């Protein structure tokens, strides 16, 4: 076989956006939930 100048080394791992966000989920999810509960309560008090 001829030398095709191909490398058998593994490709460089590109940074995936999802992999960057996953560690933040335990912090962001409760904060967004608290904001949503506050906004819904605020709307309910204003409608009453």
């Amino acid at each position: 076989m001829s030398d095709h100048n191909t490398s058998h080394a593994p490709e460089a791992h590109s940074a995936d956006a999802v992999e960057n966000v996953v560690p933040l989920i335990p912090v962001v999810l409760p904060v967004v939930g608290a904001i949503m509960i506050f906004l819904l309560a605020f709307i309910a008090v204003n409608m009453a």
Side-chain angles (χ1 to χ4, degrees):
M1 295 191 80
S2 62
D3 186 18
H4 293 290
N5 196 12
T6 58
S7 174
H8 293 290
E11 295 181 8
H13 184 67
S14 61
D16 189 12
V18 175
E19 291 178 359
N20 293 335
V21 173
V22 167
L24 300 176
I25 289 175
V27 175
V28 172
L29 200 61
V31 169
V32 172
I35 292 170
M36 290 296 296
I37 290 171
F38 174 76
L39 288 176
L40 289 171
F42 181 74
I43 292 169
V45 168
N46 281 337
M47 297 279 297

